[in-house]
Amino acid sequence: MESGSALKSFVEYTSEHHFPLENIPYGTFKNPESNEIHCCTRIGDFVVDLAALHDLGHFSGDNLKSENVFKHEFLNTFMALGRPSWTEARATIQNLFAEGSSFENDEDGKSKALFAFDKVEMTLPVDIKDYTDFYSSKNHAYNVGCMIRGPDNALQPNYTYLPVGYHGRASSVVVSGTDVRRPKGQVSADKKVPTWSDCKRLDFELEMGAYVGVGNELGKPIKIANASDHIFGLSLLNDWSARDIQVWEYVPLGPFNAKNFASTVSPWIITLEALEPFKIAHQDQDPEPMPYLREDNPSTYNIDLHVGIQSENMDAPHEVCLSNFKHLYWNVNQQLTHHAVTGCNMSTGDFLGSGTISGTEKSERGCLLELSWAGKEKVSLGNDEERVFLKDGDSVHMTGVCKGDGYTVGFGDCVGKILPALDDSEYF
Amino acid sequence: MESGSALKSFVEYTSEHHFPLENIPYGTFKNPESNEIHCCTRIGDFVVDLAALHDLGHFSGDNLKSENVFKHEFLNTFMALGRPSWTEARATIQNLFAEGSSFENDEDGKSKALFAFDKVEMTLPVDIKDYTDFYSSKNHAYNVGCMIRGPDNALQPNYTYLPVGYHGRASSVVVSGTDVRRPKGQVSADKKVPTWSDCKRLDFELEMGAYVGVGNELGKPIKIANASDHIFGLSLLNDWSARDIQVWEYVPLGPFNAKNFASTVSPWIITLEALEPFKIAHQDQDPEPMPYLREDNPSTYNIDLHVGIQSENMDAPHEVCLSNFKHLYWNVNQQLTHHAVTGCNMSTGDFLGSGTISGTEKSERGCLLELSWAGKEKVSLGNDEERVFLKDGDSVHMTGVCKGDGYTVGFGDCVGKILPALDDSEYF
């Protein structure tokens, strides 16, 4: 399935490490020397300041040599350049960090560009423009539909014809490590009269997200054959959800406050180039998609996705879900093309969430709503604790891993911890 | 109801003019001398370059004298300063353009700052961050509910408890005068199997929108008593809608492609200070809103809203709707406070659409879906033409007017014209 032999870098790491020379992820961090935020990559346990590498003259290719597109607080300037520049950057960085490169012994250069990961602060990598959340796991949609309408009508008729999605809230997308305040709002047990309450059904959603690198003009659609050239890369996404607020508010216009208080992204964006060895055939789609959503050889990626919960009493997260990116019914190309079919202009920095990624097995369910079957079944945390929804002090840990032949391409961590709700005096 | 006597400016205009000294709207335009886009205001038929006024030393107050916050392509920098700066700018401009001011005879200064409105290009005034669309006209929600579910269940149970809203698409918000391409997509007559089609039920929606000037920190709500200090001003909004695409896609997560192809805003933002004389008591709300949505003296504004349609055969638009901002069941303070109740961080440049503003009368219905009662009744264009939905070449003209004692405060125009759909070869 996956193939490839491990490249050799002068930086040391194990074959299980998420960030070998095959990966070359992109992020942003606060340079501890200058306190400026710059674009970066990562090799092993080192964060590499790309702005510093550019100042040192290492980006000498045609696309990147002039402007230092990495000396920015966000990746957007680099992302907007498009695939030839992305390919050039990747090749430059891979050559620079290969065993035996001249950079290996450039102690001065390395001291300017390399920083220990555990000593730096990672920041939100992209100035996110519009955030859209899809609903592309059929297993998830089926499970949620079963809870609401029963198995016979679990899926809406449109589900297998188009990638259902909704516009989300961009301002509250935060980077891994940011605490999440338990929201308050209106909830209603009888769905007729609401009460004021803190959220009692706070949930995570295991998702991945795709960042748009290159957009399209307003009024002009994106052909599916060209879709992947618009995608800069993928990251992990925890789309926190307030289930009790959601069921009261969401008819008829969709989720609003139930989702807009926070969505957590991992700091690293993994490029499609890095994921290429893990490409697999996409699952069969029946009915056949309409021509605008139809690809010659539809593909997806084989990415194992893990979710763990760690309570305040625990030293490490306990795994509650192991899913895989391949379970998505609609792939990223289809999501993007459908988004733009009416002429909607996609922009550099747009972020497309996949929707909760659930497999068919119970252990593959990507949120507590499914794992606890709407609160009916308790989920063990491996000690004497159980959960149906999240408690204050719980932290949720997500990660994603592609297993290669002798190496790993990973997504790092996407972590967030729940803070208790604010006092009513903050509200009225 | 409204009161106030007309201020005197050395610029001449009639008592019906939208932009007297009482208004002082904000926008952005391309300066025809420098070709730079700057922030501007308008007096009568003149657009006033505020960056030029600043360069001339006219903003000498404490808040605005140092940085030229008007020398930007968008109003965001000025908006972020907050109410003391907004008040100072308004007073400075009103003094400068008052009859007998020293500026009246400053021919050099006036030649640098004043430009004839019909000679300049207005641009999108705000770098719109997140765009949210509410659904705050109960008359509109009731009418649409009647069409779908019948009069007994027309309103959802949540409607009178919270301002229903959804996250919209910010990238496709365009300024008045931008043509709108008829979208294509999936439609389904039987709501079971879709077909590929250009939109046959293209509609306008008469809305107004509120721009957020000052935001709030993530995790911290906005108390309703403080809400109005976050609002920079209001403008007109036409939230174009593809009704046939909408009914197929919108269950369960709300409108998506049916709305994201274009939303047109007027170029001028009218401040709450300018609207103060037109403040009126808000309509009664039953049930009483929850404490977080409850105001001591809830108010709204008396703004007449006109919609006209002009076909390619016509020389001027024919009025199809006369509504009023006061028909909204939820006011802007309630919308903003509800939006942030879960801790959602509002940002400078956020735009909150009101939802279609319909009155109780047939002539007050704010979209063709209601005016034609889902296509059943024809709407006359005043000549021998009729519409149920928009045809190619139709342009929709919206305006808003507050009638004072001897003067008018107006919103200018919000106009867009429908272009024919693209050929299928653009899609697949």
Side-chain angles (χ1 to χ4, degrees):
Chain A
M1 199 157 49
E2 302 92 9
S3 67
S5 62
L7 302 174
K8 285 276 186 199
S9 170
F10 62 79
V11 175
E12 287 186 22
Y13 43 76
T14 69
S15 62
E16 274 73 45
H17 202 288
H18 282 204
F19 302 104
L21 206 50
E22 284 86 351
N23 195 337
I24 313 296
Y26 294 104
T28 55
F29 82 123
K30 188 181 274 187
N31 183 309
E33 302 288 328
S34 67
N35 272 323
E36 282 181 19
I37 294 173
H38 290 162
C39 301
C40 61
T41 186
R42 184 165 167 186
I43 311 271
D45 290 331
F46 291 102
V47 170
V48 181
D49 186 330
L50 295 175
L53 285 191
H54 198 287
D55 283 344
L56 291 165
H58 290 298
F59 288 99
S60 55
D62 286 345
N63 293 296
L64 297 169
K65 68 181 169 194
S66 50
E67 184 193 346
N68 190 340
V69 294
F70 304 112
K71 205 171 262 188
H72 291 281
E73 294 201 6
F74 295 108
L75 286 161
N76 298 53
T77 307
F78 172 54
M79 290 163 69
L81 296 179
R83 190 155 309 283
S85 296
W86 308 340
T87 302
E88 182 179 307
R90 179 177 170 84
T92 299
I93 297 164
Q94 284 187 325
N95 287 332
L96 205 62
F97 284 89
E99 201 171 51
S101 90
S102 61
F103 192 57
E104 179 170 358
N105 299 312
D106 177 3
E107 297 306 327
D108 180 58
K110 287 195 295 183
S111 76
K112 286 179 174 141
L114 271 65
F115 299 90
F117 174 71
D118 61 3
K119 294 280 193 291
V120 304
E121 177 195 345
M122 298 300 296
T123 57
L124 187 69
V126 174
D127 181 13
I128 294 177
K129 297 303 179 185
D130 278 290
Y131 162 45
T132 296
D133 199 25
F134 285 92
Y135 193 56
S136 289
S137 158
K138 192 173 163 186
N139 303 316
H140 170 70
Y142 177 80
N143 285 340
V144 174
C146 281
M147 293 177 211
I148 299 172
R149 292 177 296 273
D152 290 343
N153 300 297
L155 287 183
Q156 299 288 347
N158 58 18
Y159 192 86
T160 52
Y161 289 98
L162 56 83
V164 169
Y166 66 103
H167 302 294
R169 180 78 194 178
S171 72
S172 54
V173 177
V174 296
V175 72
S176 178
T178 308
D179 292 339
V180 173
R181 177 74 60 188
R182 180 182 298 273
K184 287 189 169 181
Q186 296 191 21
V187 302
S188 176
D190 63 3
K191 293 192 187 171
K192 287 178 187 161
V193 176
T195 55
W196 170 254
S197 176
D198 45 347
C199 170
K200 308 279 196 211
R201 298 189 145 213
L202 188 53
D203 203 354
F204 65 82
E205 286 193 334
L206 169 64
E207 302 198 17
M208 296 197 71
Y211 287 95
V212 174
V214 178
N216 62 301
E217 190 186 332
L218 181 65
K220 290 270 195 182
I222 295 173
K223 286 185 182 175
I224 198 155
N226 305 326
S228 68
D229 274 342
H230 292 264
I231 301 296
F232 180 69
L234 305 183
S235 78
L236 301 167
L237 166 64
N238 180 351
D239 190 38
W240 305 94
S241 297
R243 301 297 186 190
D244 39 5
I245 292 172
Q246 187 173 351
V247 294
W248 171 238
E249 74 172 4
Y250 92 105
V251 178
L253 299 182
F256 183 57
N257 279 331
K259 301 278 191 172
N260 68 13
F261 58 97
S263 309
T264 303
V265 293
S266 52
W268 298 110
I269 302 173
I270 312 304
T271 66
L272 301 193
E273 289 85 345
L275 295 172
E276 186 66 24
F278 310 99
K279 203 179 240 186
I280 55 175
H282 194 60
Q283 61 182 272
D284 287 339
Q285 293 178 305
D286 178 23
E288 187 182 32
M290 280 194 188
Y292 78 98
L293 292 175
R294 202 178 294 162
E295 292 178 282
D296 285 342
N297 292 297
S299 63
T300 186
Y301 301 101
N302 184 8
I303 308 168
D304 278 333
L305 300 169
H306 303 258
V307 185
I309 297 177
Q310 181 176 344
S311 78
E312 287 181 315
N313 307 313
M314 296 161 65
D315 296 327
H318 175 76
E319 186 159 299
V320 294
C321 167
L322 167 55
S323 188
N324 192 295
F325 186 70
K326 71 184 178 188
H327 293 313
L328 292 171
Y329 186 81
W330 297 101
N331 74 15
V332 173
N333 291 345
Q334 292 175 319
Q335 291 169 347
L336 181 74
T337 296
H338 181 68
H339 202 317
V341 69
T342 43
C344 180
N345 53 328
M346 310 305 296
S347 311
T348 300
D350 284 347
F351 188 56
L352 311 182
S354 62
T356 305
I357 307 172
S358 297
T360 50
E361 301 302 312
K362 214 165 165 176
S363 60
E364 295 174 324
R365 294 175 181 168
C367 61
L368 282 169
L369 180 71
E370 288 173 85
L371 288 165
S372 75
W373 208 255
K376 293 189 183 73
E377 298 175 26
K378 295 197 166 161
V379 178
S380 169
L381 298 191
N383 52 8
D384 58 352
E385 294 183 277
E386 296 175 318
R387 290 289 181 274
V388 287
F389 290 100
L390 295 170
K391 291 195 172 175
D392 294 344
D394 286 353
S395 58
V396 177
H397 298 244
M398 296 179 175
T399 193
V401 180
C402 300
K403 279 282 167 203
D405 186 2
Y407 71 101
T408 301
V409 166
F411 284 75
D413 296 321
C414 181
V415 181
K417 182 176 150 185
I418 304 301
L419 302 181
L422 295 174
D423 189 80
D424 275 355
S425 62
E426 299 277 352
Y427 295 83
F428 47 84
Chain B
M1 201 156 52
E2 303 92 11
S3 68
S5 62
L7 302 174
K8 285 276 184 198
S9 170
F10 62 77
V11 175
E12 287 185 23
Y13 44 75
T14 69
S15 62
E16 274 72 48
H17 202 288
H18 281 204
F19 303 104
L21 206 49
E22 285 86 351
N23 195 338
I24 314 297
Y26 294 104
T28 54
F29 82 122
K30 188 179 273 187
N31 182 308
E33 301 290 327
S34 67
N35 272 325
E36 281 181 19
I37 295 173
H38 291 162
C39 301
C40 61
T41 186
R42 183 165 169 189
I43 312 271
D45 290 331
F46 291 102
V47 170
V48 182
D49 187 329
L50 295 175
L53 286 191
H54 198 287
D55 283 344
L56 292 165
H58 290 298
F59 288 98
S60 54
D62 286 346
N63 293 296
L64 297 169
K65 68 182 170 193
S66 50
E67 185 192 346
N68 190 341
V69 294
F70 304 112
K71 205 171 265 188
H72 291 281
E73 294 200 6
F74 294 108
L75 287 161
N76 298 53
T77 308
F78 172 53
M79 291 163 69
L81 295 179
R83 190 154 308 285
S85 297
W86 309 340
T87 303
E88 182 180 307
R90 178 177 171 83
T92 299
I93 297 164
Q94 284 187 325
N95 287 331
L96 205 63
F97 285 88
E99 201 173 50
S101 91
S102 61
F103 193 55
E104 179 170 357
N105 298 310
D106 177 3
E107 297 305 329
D108 181 57
K110 287 195 293 184
S111 76
K112 286 178 174 143
L114 270 64
F115 300 89
F117 174 70
D118 60 4
K119 294 278 193 295
V120 304
E121 178 195 345
M122 298 299 297
T123 55
L124 187 70
V126 174
D127 181 13
I128 295 177
K129 296 303 178 183
D130 277 290
Y131 163 45
T132 296
D133 200 25
F134 285 94
Y135 192 55
S136 288
S137 159
K138 191 173 162 186
N139 304 315
H140 170 69
Y142 177 81
N143 285 340
V144 174
C146 281
M147 293 175 210
I148 299 171
R149 290 177 297 275
D152 291 342
N153 300 298
L155 287 182
Q156 299 289 346
N158 58 18
Y159 192 85
T160 52
Y161 290 98
L162 57 81
V164 169
Y166 66 102
H167 301 294
R169 179 77 193 177
S171 73
S172 54
V173 177
V174 296
V175 73
S176 177
T178 308
D179 292 338
V180 173
R181 177 73 61 189
R182 180 182 298 274
K184 288 189 170 182
Q186 296 190 21
V187 302
S188 175
D190 63 2
K191 293 190 186 172
K192 288 179 188 161
V193 176
T195 54
W196 168 254
S197 175
D198 47 347
C199 170
K200 307 280 196 213
R201 298 190 146 211
L202 187 54
D203 203 354
F204 65 83
E205 287 194 335
L206 168 63
E207 301 198 19
M208 298 197 69
Y211 287 97
V212 174
V214 178
N216 62 301
E217 189 187 332
L218 182 65
K220 290 272 196 182
I222 294 173
K223 286 186 182 175
I224 196 155
N226 305 327
S228 68
D229 274 344
H230 292 264
I231 300 296
F232 179 69
L234 305 183
S235 78
L236 301 166
L237 165 64
N238 180 351
D239 190 38
W240 305 95
S241 297
R243 302 296 186 190
D244 41 3
I245 292 171
Q246 187 173 350
V247 294
W248 171 239
E249 74 173 1
Y250 91 106
V251 178
L253 298 181
F256 184 57
N257 279 333
K259 302 278 190 173
N260 70 13
F261 58 97
S263 310
T264 303
V265 293
S266 51
W268 298 110
I269 302 173
I270 312 304
T271 65
L272 300 194
E273 289 86 344
L275 295 172
E276 186 66 25
F278 310 99
K279 202 179 241 185
I280 54 175
H282 194 61
Q283 61 182 272
D284 288 339
Q285 294 179 304
D286 179 23
E288 186 182 33
M290 279 194 189
Y292 79 97
L293 291 175
R294 202 179 294 164
E295 291 178 284
D296 285 341
N297 292 296
S299 64
T300 186
Y301 301 102
N302 184 6
I303 307 168
D304 277 334
L305 300 169
H306 302 259
V307 184
I309 298 177
Q310 181 176 343
S311 78
E312 286 181 314
N313 306 316
M314 295 160 66
D315 296 326
H318 175 77
E319 186 158 297
V320 295
C321 167
L322 168 55
S323 188
N324 192 295
F325 186 69
K326 69 184 178 188
H327 293 312
L328 292 171
Y329 185 82
W330 297 101
N331 73 16
V332 173
N333 291 346
Q334 292 175 320
Q335 291 169 348
L336 180 73
T337 297
H338 181 67
H339 202 316
V341 69
T342 42
C344 179
N345 53 328
M346 311 304 295
S347 311
T348 299
D350 284 348
F351 188 56
L352 311 183
S354 62
T356 306
I357 306 173
S358 297
T360 52
E361 302 300 313
K362 214 165 165 176
S363 60
E364 295 174 325
R365 294 174 181 169
C367 61
L368 281 169
L369 181 70
E370 288 174 85
L371 288 165
S372 75
W373 208 254
K376 293 191 183 71
E377 299 175 26
K378 295 198 167 159
V379 178
S380 169
L381 298 191
N383 53 7
D384 58 352
E385 294 183 276
E386 295 175 318
R387 291 289 181 274
V388 287
F389 289 101
L390 296 169
K391 291 195 172 174
D392 292 345
D394 286 352
S395 58
V396 177
H397 297 244
M398 297 180 176
T399 192
V401 180
C402 301
K403 277 284 166 201
D405 185 2
Y407 71 100
T408 301
V409 166
F411 284 75
D413 297 320
C414 181
V415 181
K417 184 176 150 185
I418 304 301
L419 301 181
L422 295 174
D423 190 82
D424 274 355
S425 62
E426 300 277 351
Y427 296 83
F428 47 84

